[in-house]
Amino acid sequence: MNILIAGAGKVGYNLAKSLSIDSDVIVIDENKNALEMLKESLDIMAIQGNIKDANVYKTIDKKIDFFIAVTDNDDINLI
């Protein structure tokens, strides 16, 4: 299963940690440091970019089964 998580904060990290055990996880965030921490400790794909930019999603070459938005901005999460 391919899961895309928008947001690499505490919630995004813990979701990625739990879900990466049985699934392929991709995390998108603008924060380069948060993504580096994720990549160092988890077996995930990390993409640095603006979650609101449709072009960021074009770099993903997999079919996404689930999309989870857990940024610190509710307006972005609803998009």
Side-chain angles (χ1 to χ4, degrees):
M1 184 175 311
N2 297 316
I3 301 171
L4 176 60
I5 299 174
K10 290 179 184 178
V11 175
Y13 175 85
N14 285 308
L15 279 170
K17 183 177 178 181
S18 297
L19 296 172
S20 65
I21 295 169
D22 296 324
S23 301
D24 291 329
V25 174
I26 303 166
V27 178
I28 298 176
D29 200 299
E30 288 183 314
N31 185 330
K32 182 179 179 178
N33 294 332
L35 291 173
E36 288 298 323
M37 188 173 70
L38 279 172
K39 288 193 310 186
E40 288 176 7
S41 59
L42 304 175
D43 183 22
I44 62 147
M45 179 179 174
I47 300 174
Q48 183 181 4
N50 186 332
I51 295 163
K52 297 183 288 183
D53 182 4
N55 291 321
V56 172
Y57 300 94
K58 292 179 181 178
T59 63
I60 301 169
D61 61 350
K62 299 179 180 182
K63 176 187 168 272
I64 301 300
D65 298 304
F66 288 103
F67 176 80
I68 304 169
V70 289
T71 69
D72 59 358
N73 185 321
D74 287 340
D75 293 333
I76 292 174
N77 293 340
L78 290 172
I79 292 174

Coordinates of all heavy atoms in Angstrom, one line a residue:
M1 N 0.8 -1.2 0.0 CA 0.0 0.0 0.0 C 0.9 1.2 0.0 O 1.9 1.3 0.7 CB -0.9 0.0 1.2 CG -1.9 1.1 1.3 SD -3.0 1.0 2.7 CE -3.6 -0.7 2.6
N2 N 0.5 2.2 -0.8 CA 1.3 3.5 -0.9 C 0.5 4.6 -0.1 O -0.6 4.9 -0.5 CB 1.5 3.9 -2.3 CG 2.3 2.9 -3.1 OD1 3.3 2.4 -2.5 ND2 1.9 2.5 -4.2
I3 N 1.2 5.2 0.8 CA 0.5 6.2 1.6 C 1.3 7.5 1.5 O 2.6 7.5 1.7 CB 0.5 5.8 3.1 CG1 -0.3 4.5 3.2 CG2 -0.1 6.9 4.0 CD1 -0.3 3.9 4.6
L4 N 0.6 8.6 1.2 CA 1.2 9.9 1.1 C 0.8 10.8 2.3 O -0.4 10.9 2.6 CB 0.8 10.6 -0.1 CG 1.2 12.1 -0.4 CD1 2.8 12.1 -0.4 CD2 0.6 12.6 -1.6
I5 N 1.8 11.3 3.1 CA 1.6 12.1 4.2 C 2.1 13.5 3.9 O 3.2 13.7 3.6 CB 2.3 11.6 5.5 CG1 1.8 10.1 5.8 CG2 2.1 12.5 6.7 CD1 2.5 9.5 6.9
A6 N 1.2 14.5 4.1 CA 1.5 15.9 3.9 C 1.8 16.5 5.3 O 0.8 16.6 6.1 CB 0.4 16.6 3.2
G7 N 3.0 16.7 5.6 CA 3.4 17.3 6.9 C 4.4 16.4 7.6 O 4.1 15.2 7.8
A8 N 5.5 17.0 8.0 CA 6.6 16.2 8.6 C 6.8 16.6 10.1 O 7.9 16.5 10.6 CB 7.9 16.3 7.8
G9 N 5.8 17.1 10.7 CA 5.9 17.5 12.1 C 5.8 16.3 13.0 O 6.0 15.1 12.6
K10 N 5.4 16.5 14.2 CA 5.3 15.4 15.2 C 4.3 14.4 14.8 O 4.6 13.1 14.9 CB 5.0 15.9 16.6 CG 6.1 16.7 17.2 CD 5.7 17.2 18.6 CE 6.8 18.1 19.2 NZ 6.4 18.6 20.5
V11 N 3.1 14.8 14.4 CA 2.1 13.9 14.0 C 2.5 13.1 12.7 O 2.3 11.9 12.6 CB 0.7 14.6 13.8 CG1 -0.3 13.7 13.3 CG2 0.3 15.2 15.1
G12 N 3.0 13.9 11.7 CA 3.4 13.3 10.5 C 4.5 12.2 10.7 O 4.5 11.2 10.1
Y13 N 5.5 12.6 11.6 CA 6.6 11.7 11.9 C 6.0 10.4 12.5 O 6.4 9.3 12.1 CB 7.6 12.3 12.9 CG 8.6 11.4 13.3 CD1 9.8 11.2 12.6 CD2 8.5 10.6 14.5 CE1 10.8 10.3 13.0 CE2 9.5 9.8 14.9 CZ 10.6 9.6 14.2 OH 11.6 8.7 14.6
N14 N 5.1 10.5 13.5 CA 4.6 9.3 14.2 C 3.7 8.5 13.3 O 3.8 7.2 13.3 CB 3.9 9.7 15.5 CG 4.8 10.1 16.6 OD1 5.7 9.3 16.9 ND2 4.6 11.2 17.1
L15 N 3.0 9.1 12.4 CA 2.2 8.3 11.4 C 3.2 7.6 10.5 O 3.0 6.4 10.2 CB 1.3 9.3 10.6 CG 0.0 9.7 11.2 CD1 -0.7 10.8 10.4 CD2 -0.9 8.5 11.4
A16 N 4.2 8.3 10.0 CA 5.1 7.7 9.0 C 5.8 6.5 9.7 O 6.0 5.4 9.1 CB 6.1 8.7 8.6
K17 N 6.2 6.7 11.0 CA 6.9 5.6 11.7 C 6.0 4.4 11.8 O 6.4 3.3 11.6 CB 7.2 6.1 13.1 CG 8.0 5.1 14.0 CD 8.4 5.8 15.3 CE 9.1 4.8 16.2 NZ 9.5 5.4 17.5
S18 N 4.7 4.6 12.2 CA 3.8 3.5 12.4 C 3.4 2.8 11.0 O 3.4 1.6 10.9 CB 2.5 3.9 13.0 OG 2.8 4.4 14.3
L19 N 3.1 3.6 10.0 CA 2.6 3.1 8.8 C 3.7 2.5 7.9 O 3.5 1.7 7.0 CB 1.9 4.2 8.0 CG 0.6 4.7 8.7 CD1 0.1 5.9 8.0 CD2 -0.4 3.6 8.8
S20 N 5.0 3.0 8.1 CA 6.1 2.5 7.2 C 6.5 1.0 7.5 O 7.2 0.4 6.7 CB 7.3 3.4 7.3 OG 7.9 3.3 8.6
I21 N 5.9 0.5 8.6 CA 6.2 -0.9 8.9 C 5.6 -1.9 7.8 O 6.3 -2.8 7.4 CB 5.7 -1.3 10.3 CG1 6.4 -0.5 11.3 CG2 5.8 -2.8 10.5 CD1 5.8 -0.6 12.7
D22 N 4.4 -1.6 7.4 CA 3.7 -2.4 6.5 C 3.4 -1.8 5.1 O 2.8 -2.4 4.2 CB 2.4 -2.9 7.0 CG 2.5 -3.7 8.3 OD1 3.5 -4.5 8.4 OD2 1.7 -3.6 9.2
S23 N 3.8 -0.5 4.9 CA 3.4 0.2 3.7 C 4.6 1.1 3.2 O 5.5 1.3 4.0 CB 2.2 1.1 4.0 OG 1.1 0.4 4.4
D24 N 4.5 1.5 2.0 CA 5.4 2.4 1.4 C 4.9 3.8 1.7 O 3.7 4.1 1.4 CB 5.6 2.3 -0.1 CG 6.3 1.0 -0.5 OD1 7.1 0.5 0.3 OD2 6.0 0.4 -1.5
V25 N 5.7 4.6 2.4 CA 5.3 5.9 2.9 C 6.1 7.0 2.2 O 7.3 6.9 2.1 CB 5.4 6.1 4.4 CG1 5.1 7.5 4.8 CG2 4.5 5.1 5.1
I26 N 5.4 8.1 1.7 CA 6.0 9.2 1.1 C 5.5 10.4 2.0 O 4.3 10.6 2.3 CB 5.5 9.4 -0.3 CG1 5.8 8.2 -1.2 CG2 6.1 10.7 -0.9 CD1 5.2 8.2 -2.5
V27 N 6.5 11.3 2.4 CA 6.1 12.5 3.2 C 6.6 13.7 2.4 O 7.7 13.8 1.9 CB 6.9 12.4 4.5 CG1 6.5 13.7 5.3 CG2 6.5 11.2 5.3
I28 N 5.6 14.7 2.3 CA 5.9 15.9 1.6 C 5.9 17.0 2.7 O 4.9 17.1 3.5 CB 4.9 16.3 0.5 CG1 4.9 15.2 -0.5 CG2 5.1 17.6 0.0 CD1 3.9 15.4 -1.6
D29 N 6.9 17.9 2.7 CA 6.9 19.1 3.6 C 7.9 20.1 3.0 O 8.8 19.7 2.2 CB 7.3 18.6 5.0 CG 6.9 19.6 6.0 OD1 7.4 20.8 6.0 OD2 6.2 19.3 6.9
E30 N 7.8 21.3 3.4 CA 8.7 22.4 3.0 C 10.0 22.4 3.9 O 11.0 22.9 3.5 CB 8.1 23.7 3.0 CG 7.1 23.9 1.9 CD 6.5 25.4 1.9 OE1 6.1 25.8 3.0 OE2 6.5 25.9 0.8
N31 N 9.8 21.8 5.1 CA 10.9 21.9 6.1 C 12.0 20.8 5.8 O 11.8 19.6 6.1 CB 10.3 21.7 7.5 CG 11.3 21.9 8.6 OD1 12.5 21.6 8.4 ND2 10.9 22.3 9.7
K32 N 13.1 21.3 5.3 CA 14.2 20.3 4.9 C 14.7 19.6 6.1 O 15.0 18.4 6.0 CB 15.3 21.1 4.2 CG 16.4 20.3 3.7 CD 17.5 21.1 3.0 CE 18.6 20.2 2.6 NZ 19.7 21.0 1.9
N33 N 14.9 20.3 7.2 CA 15.4 19.6 8.4 C 14.5 18.5 8.9 O 15.0 17.4 9.3 CB 15.7 20.6 9.5 CG 16.7 21.6 9.2 OD1 17.6 21.3 8.4 ND2 16.6 22.8 9.7
A34 N 13.2 18.8 8.9 CA 12.2 17.7 9.4 C 12.3 16.5 8.5 O 12.2 15.4 8.9 CB 10.8 18.3 9.5
L35 N 12.4 16.7 7.2 CA 12.5 15.6 6.2 C 13.8 14.8 6.4 O 13.8 13.6 6.3 CB 12.3 16.2 4.8 CG 11.0 16.7 4.4 CD1 11.0 17.4 3.0 CD2 9.9 15.6 4.5
E36 N 14.9 15.5 6.6 CA 16.1 14.8 6.9 C 16.1 13.9 8.1 O 16.6 12.8 8.1 CB 17.3 15.8 7.0 CG 17.7 16.5 5.7 CD 18.2 15.6 4.6 OE1 18.9 14.6 5.0 OE2 17.9 15.8 3.5
M37 N 15.4 14.4 9.1 CA 15.3 13.6 10.3 C 14.5 12.4 10.1 O 14.8 11.3 10.5 CB 14.7 14.4 11.5 CG 14.6 13.7 12.8 SD 14.1 14.8 14.2 CE 12.3 14.9 13.8
L38 N 13.4 12.5 9.3 CA 12.6 11.4 8.9 C 13.4 10.4 8.1 O 13.3 9.2 8.4 CB 11.4 11.9 8.1 CG 10.2 12.4 8.8 CD1 9.2 13.0 7.8 CD2 9.5 11.4 9.7
K39 N 14.1 10.8 7.1 CA 14.9 9.9 6.2 C 16.0 9.2 7.0 O 16.3 8.1 6.7 CB 15.5 10.7 5.1 CG 14.5 11.1 4.0 CD 15.1 11.6 2.7 CE 16.2 12.6 2.9 NZ 16.7 13.1 1.6
E40 N 16.5 9.9 8.0 CA 17.6 9.2 8.8 C 17.1 8.1 9.7 O 17.8 7.1 9.9 CB 18.3 10.3 9.7 CG 19.2 11.2 8.9 CD 19.8 12.3 9.8 OE1 19.7 12.2 11.0 OE2 20.4 13.2 9.2
S41 N 15.9 8.2 10.2 CA 15.4 7.3 11.1 C 14.3 6.3 10.6 O 14.1 5.3 11.2 CB 14.8 8.0 12.4 OG 13.7 8.8 12.0
L42 N 13.8 6.6 9.4 CA 12.7 5.7 8.9 C 13.0 5.4 7.4 O 13.7 6.2 6.7 CB 11.3 6.5 8.9 CG 10.9 6.9 10.3 CD1 9.6 7.7 10.1 CD2 10.7 5.8 11.2
D43 N 12.4 4.3 6.9 CA 12.6 3.9 5.6 C 11.4 4.5 4.8 O 10.4 3.8 4.5 CB 12.6 2.4 5.5 CG 12.8 1.9 4.0 OD1 13.3 2.6 3.2 OD2 12.4 0.7 3.8
I44 N 11.5 5.7 4.4 CA 10.4 6.4 3.7 C 11.0 7.2 2.5 O 12.2 7.4 2.5 CB 9.7 7.4 4.6 CG1 10.6 8.5 5.2 CG2 9.0 6.6 5.7 CD1 9.9 9.8 5.4
M45 N 10.2 7.7 1.7 CA 10.6 8.7 0.6 C 10.2 10.0 1.1 O 9.0 10.2 1.5 CB 9.9 8.3 -0.7 CG 10.2 9.3 -1.8 SD 9.3 8.7 -3.3 CE 9.7 10.1 -4.4
A46 N 11.1 11.0 1.1 CA 10.8 12.4 1.5 C 10.9 13.3 0.3 O 11.9 13.3 -0.4 CB 11.7 12.8 2.6
I47 N 9.9 14.2 0.2 CA 9.9 15.1 -0.9 C 9.8 16.5 -0.3 O 8.8 16.8 0.4 CB 8.7 14.9 -1.9 CG1 8.8 13.5 -2.5 CG2 8.7 16.0 -2.9 CD1 7.6 13.1 -3.4
Q48 N 10.7 17.4 -0.6 CA 10.7 18.8 -0.1 C 9.9 19.6 -1.1 O 10.2 19.6 -2.3 CB 12.1 19.4 0.1 CG 12.0 20.7 0.7 CD 13.4 21.3 0.9 OE1 14.4 20.7 0.5 NE2 13.4 22.5 1.4
G49 N 8.8 20.3 -0.6 CA 8.1 21.1 -1.5 C 6.8 21.6 -0.8 O 6.5 21.2 0.3
N50 N 6.2 22.6 -1.5 CA 5.0 23.2 -1.0 C 3.8 22.2 -1.3 O 3.5 21.9 -2.4 CB 4.7 24.5 -1.8 CG 3.6 25.3 -1.2 OD1 2.6 24.7 -0.7 ND2 3.7 26.6 -1.3
I51 N 3.1 21.9 -0.2 CA 2.0 20.9 -0.3 C 0.9 21.5 -1.2 O 0.2 20.7 -1.8 CB 1.5 20.6 1.1 CG1 2.6 19.9 1.9 CG2 0.2 19.8 1.1 CD1 2.4 19.9 3.4
K52 N 0.7 22.8 -1.3 CA -0.3 23.4 -2.1 C 0.0 23.4 -3.6 O -0.8 23.7 -4.5 CB -0.6 24.8 -1.7 CG -1.2 24.9 -0.3 CD -1.5 26.3 0.1 CE -0.3 27.1 0.4 NZ -0.5 28.5 0.8
D53 N 1.3 23.1 -4.0 CA 1.7 23.1 -5.4 C 1.5 21.8 -6.1 O 2.1 20.8 -5.7 CB 3.2 23.5 -5.4 CG 3.8 23.6 -6.8 OD1 3.0 23.5 -7.8 OD2 5.0 23.9 -6.9
A54 N 0.6 21.7 -7.1 CA 0.3 20.5 -7.8 C 1.5 19.9 -8.4 O 1.6 18.6 -8.6 CB -0.8 20.8 -8.8
N55 N 2.5 20.7 -8.8 CA 3.7 20.1 -9.5 C 4.5 19.2 -8.6 O 5.2 18.3 -9.0 CB 4.6 21.3 -10.0 CG 3.9 22.0 -11.2 OD1 3.3 21.4 -12.0 ND2 4.0 23.3 -11.2
V56 N 4.4 19.4 -7.3 CA 5.1 18.6 -6.3 C 4.7 17.1 -6.4 O 5.4 16.2 -6.4 CB 5.0 19.1 -4.9 CG1 5.5 18.2 -3.9 CG2 5.6 20.5 -4.7
Y57 N 3.4 17.0 -6.6 CA 2.8 15.6 -6.7 C 3.2 14.9 -8.0 O 3.1 13.7 -8.0 CB 1.3 15.7 -6.5 CG 0.9 16.3 -5.2 CD1 0.6 17.7 -5.0 CD2 0.9 15.5 -4.0 CE1 0.3 18.2 -3.8 CE2 0.5 16.1 -2.8 CZ 0.3 17.4 -2.7 OH -0.1 18.0 -1.5
K58 N 3.5 15.6 -9.0 CA 3.9 15.0 -10.3 C 5.2 14.3 -10.2 O 5.5 13.4 -11.0 CB 4.0 16.1 -11.4 CG 2.7 16.7 -11.7 CD 2.8 17.8 -12.8 CE 1.5 18.4 -13.1 NZ 1.6 19.5 -14.1
T59 N 6.0 14.5 -9.1 CA 7.3 13.8 -9.0 C 7.1 12.4 -8.4 O 8.0 11.6 -8.4 CB 8.2 14.6 -8.0 OG1 7.6 14.7 -6.7 CG2 8.5 16.0 -8.5
I60 N 5.9 12.1 -8.0 CA 5.6 10.8 -7.4 C 5.2 9.8 -8.5 O 4.2 10.1 -9.3 CB 4.4 10.9 -6.4 CG1 4.9 11.8 -5.2 CG2 4.1 9.5 -5.8 CD1 3.7 12.2 -4.3
D61 N 5.9 8.7 -8.7 CA 5.6 7.8 -9.8 C 4.8 6.6 -9.3 O 4.8 5.6 -10.0 CB 6.9 7.4 -10.5 CG 7.9 6.7 -9.5 OD1 7.6 6.7 -8.3 OD2 8.8 6.1 -10.0
K62 N 4.2 6.7 -8.2 CA 3.4 5.5 -7.7 C 1.9 5.9 -7.6 O 1.6 7.1 -7.4 CB 3.9 5.2 -6.3 CG 5.3 4.7 -6.2 CD 5.6 4.4 -4.7 CE 7.1 3.9 -4.6 NZ 7.4 3.6 -3.3
K63 N 1.1 4.9 -7.6 CA -0.4 5.2 -7.3 C -0.5 5.3 -5.8 O 0.0 4.4 -5.1 CB -1.2 4.0 -7.8 CG -2.7 4.1 -7.5 CD -3.4 2.8 -7.9 CE -4.8 2.8 -7.3 NZ -4.8 2.2 -6.0
I64 N -1.1 6.4 -5.4 CA -1.3 6.6 -3.9 C -2.6 6.0 -3.5 O -3.7 6.3 -4.1 CB -1.2 8.1 -3.6 CG1 0.1 8.7 -4.1 CG2 -1.5 8.4 -2.1 CD1 1.3 8.1 -3.4
D65 N -2.6 5.2 -2.5 CA -3.8 4.5 -1.9 C -4.5 5.4 -0.9 O -5.7 5.5 -0.8 CB -3.5 3.2 -1.4 CG -2.9 2.2 -2.4 OD1 -3.6 2.0 -3.4 OD2 -1.8 1.7 -2.2
F66 N -3.7 6.1 -0.1 CA -4.2 6.9 1.0 C -3.4 8.2 1.0 O -2.2 8.2 0.9 CB -4.1 6.3 2.4 CG -5.1 5.1 2.6 CD1 -4.7 3.8 2.5 CD2 -6.4 5.4 2.8 CE1 -5.5 2.8 2.6 CE2 -7.3 4.4 3.0 CZ -6.9 3.1 2.9
F67 N -4.1 9.3 1.3 CA -3.5 10.6 1.5 C -3.9 11.1 2.8 O -5.1 11.2 3.2 CB -4.0 11.6 0.4 CG -3.5 13.0 0.6 CD1 -2.2 13.3 0.1 CD2 -4.3 14.0 1.1 CE1 -1.7 14.6 0.3 CE2 -3.8 15.3 1.3 CZ -2.5 15.6 0.9
I68 N -2.9 11.5 3.6 CA -3.2 12.0 5.0 C -2.5 13.4 5.1 O -1.3 13.5 4.9 CB -2.6 11.0 6.0 CG1 -3.1 9.6 5.9 CG2 -2.8 11.6 7.5 CD1 -2.4 8.6 6.7
A69 N -3.3 14.4 5.4 CA -2.8 15.7 5.6 C -2.8 16.1 7.1 O -3.8 16.1 7.7 CB -3.7 16.7 4.9
V70 N -1.6 16.3 7.6 CA -1.4 16.6 9.0 C -0.4 17.8 9.2 O 0.5 17.8 10.0 CB -0.9 15.4 9.8 CG1 -2.0 14.4 10.0 CG2 0.3 14.8 9.2
T71 N -0.7 18.9 8.4 CA 0.2 20.1 8.5 C -0.4 20.9 9.7 O -1.4 20.5 10.3 CB 0.1 21.0 7.3 OG1 -1.2 21.5 7.2 CG2 0.4 20.2 6.0
D72 N 0.3 22.0 10.0 CA -0.1 22.8 11.1 C -1.1 23.9 10.7 O -1.4 24.8 11.4 CB 1.1 23.5 11.9 CG 1.9 24.3 10.9 OD1 1.6 24.4 9.7 OD2 2.9 24.9 11.4
N73 N -1.6 23.7 9.5 CA -2.5 24.7 8.9 C -3.8 24.0 8.4 O -3.8 23.2 7.5 CB -1.9 25.4 7.7 CG -2.7 26.5 7.1 OD1 -3.9 26.4 7.0 ND2 -2.1 27.6 6.7
D74 N -4.9 24.2 9.1 CA -6.2 23.5 8.8 C -6.7 23.8 7.4 O -7.3 22.9 6.8 CB -7.3 23.8 9.8 CG -7.0 23.2 11.2 OD1 -6.3 22.2 11.2 OD2 -7.6 23.6 12.2
D75 N -6.4 25.0 6.9 CA -6.9 25.3 5.5 C -6.1 24.5 4.5 O -6.8 24.0 3.6 CB -6.6 26.8 5.2 CG -7.5 27.7 6.1 OD1 -8.6 27.3 6.5 OD2 -7.1 28.9 6.3
I76 N -4.9 24.2 4.7 CA -4.1 23.4 3.8 C -4.6 21.9 3.9 O -4.7 21.3 2.9 CB -2.6 23.5 4.1 CG1 -2.1 24.9 3.7 CG2 -1.8 22.4 3.3 CD1 -0.7 25.2 4.1
N77 N -4.8 21.5 5.1 CA -5.3 20.1 5.3 C -6.6 19.8 4.6 O -6.8 18.7 4.1 CB -5.4 19.8 6.8 CG -4.1 19.8 7.5 OD1 -3.0 19.7 6.9 ND2 -4.1 20.0 8.8
L78 N -7.5 20.8 4.5 CA -8.8 20.7 3.9 C -8.6 20.6 2.3 O -9.5 20.0 1.7 CB -9.7 21.8 4.3 CG -10.2 21.7 5.7 CD1 -11.0 23.0 6.1 CD2 -11.0 20.5 6.0
I79 N -7.6 21.3 1.8 CA -7.4 21.3 0.4 C -7.1 19.9 -0.1 O -7.6 19.4 -1.0 CB -6.3 22.2 0.0 CG1 -6.7 23.7 0.2 CG2 -5.9 22.1 -1.5 CD1 -5.6 24.7 0.0

